Amino acid sequence: MTSSASEEEKKLLVRIADGDRHAFAVLFKQYSHFVYSSGKRLTHSDYWAEELVQDIFFKIWRHREKLTEVANFGAYLNRVVRNQSYNILRQLAQDAKSVNSMEHKEIEHTTDNVLDLKEASVILEQALEILTPQQRAAYELCHIQGLKYKDAADQMNVSYETVHSHMKEAIKKIRTHFRNSGLAYSILFALLFS
């Protein structure tokens, strides 16, 4: 860049610092392609290159009073584009790491839930063995098949109150068996006994 071009650029920057929108439009037209192409080269993305153009020129306008301190605008802009691009890449890498970590935790959590559910199923089967035949029938009809107490009573040829009593005793015995097994399955209880 010749010294006369450098002088013209400094005058342009001074006008922008004073709030001249036309001068800013000239600067934007002159450098937006440079920002876009540099940003795309660094981020390998059209989207992020466009974002860089908008962000960088927005910041330049917002902090325009500092433009009078810039000795070489081309070098200054190159540094800003590079820094912004690296910030984007760093953020994208951090986001990818967070997503990867969350997926890993979800897999671990799901695996733990499956193991807990299998263990709880075994303990539930053991608890069902303890029930009287009538308690077990009531439990299976109401909780496993999802029948209402009245429908279960009709199927068992007993009264509603009898089914209610069998269910109350069955749930009590099952809970006691889980507690005695040293397991606290409050979520499972909510699912099994809701």
Side-chain angles (χ1 to χ4, degrees):
M1 186 177 274
T2 64
S3 65
S4 64
S6 178
E7 287 301 315
E8 286 299 313
E9 189 171 84
K10 283 184 181 178
K11 288 178 186 175
L12 188 66
L13 295 178
V14 168
R15 286 172 49 204
I16 295 168
D18 289 338
D20 185 334
R21 292 177 187 273
H22 176 71
F24 181 73
V26 169
L27 186 78
F28 180 84
K29 187 174 181 184
Q30 193 173 343
Y31 283 103
S32 61
H33 181 70
F34 166 78
V35 172
Y36 177 86
S37 59
S38 297
K40 184 173 179 181
R41 183 173 39 80
L42 292 166
T43 64
H44 304 286
S45 164
D46 289 321
Y47 172 80
W48 288 114
E50 289 172 12
E51 288 292 309
L52 280 168
V53 171
Q54 291 179 24
D55 288 350
I56 288 171
F57 280 98
F58 176 73
K59 286 177 184 174
I60 288 172
W61 178 254
R62 203 172 71 209
H63 302 292
R64 60 189 173 275
E65 63 280 349
K66 294 181 180 178
L67 288 174
T68 55
E69 301 165 13
V70 175
N72 182 336
F73 186 74
Y76 165 80
L77 192 57
N78 187 40
R79 187 174 68 245
V80 170
V81 170
R82 196 175 61 245
N83 289 343
Q84 287 282 97
S85 296
Y86 291 150
N87 287 343
I88 288 170
L89 293 172
R90 211 175 359 262
Q91 186 61 49
L92 290 173
Q94 194 172 12
D95 290 349
K97 187 177 177 184
S98 294
V99 167
N100 197 11
S101 173
M102 282 174 44
E103 286 173 355
H104 181 69
K105 284 179 183 172
E106 284 176 17
I107 289 167
E108 274 182 12
H109 185 66
T110 303
T111 304
D112 289 346
N113 286 349
V114 168
L115 292 174
D116 286 348
L117 195 54
K118 282 182 180 177
E119 188 177 355
S121 296
V122 168
I123 293 170
L124 177 60
E125 276 304 313
Q126 292 169 352
L128 293 177
E129 300 283 325
I130 299 168
L131 304 178
T132 67
Q134 290 292 79
Q135 290 169 349
R136 184 172 181 141
Y139 181 83
E140 287 178 351
L141 288 171
C142 295
H143 273 284
I144 296 175
Q145 294 180 28
L147 295 181
K148 295 184 178 181
Y149 284 9
K150 182 184 180 312
D151 298 330
D154 291 343
Q155 202 163 332
M156 293 174 67
N157 291 326
V158 295
S159 69
Y160 172 90
E161 290 78 18
T162 303
V163 171
H164 185 269
S165 174
H166 287 320
M167 283 300 298
K168 188 174 176 183
E169 285 303 309
I171 290 172
K172 192 167 151 185
K173 286 180 181 179
I174 292 169
R175 284 184 175 155
T176 301
H177 185 73
F178 268 89
R179 259 195 306 275
N180 291 343
S181 298
L183 298 170
Y185 284 101
S186 55
I187 294 172
L188 187 61
F189 284 147
L191 293 172
L192 290 174
F193 306 121
S194 58

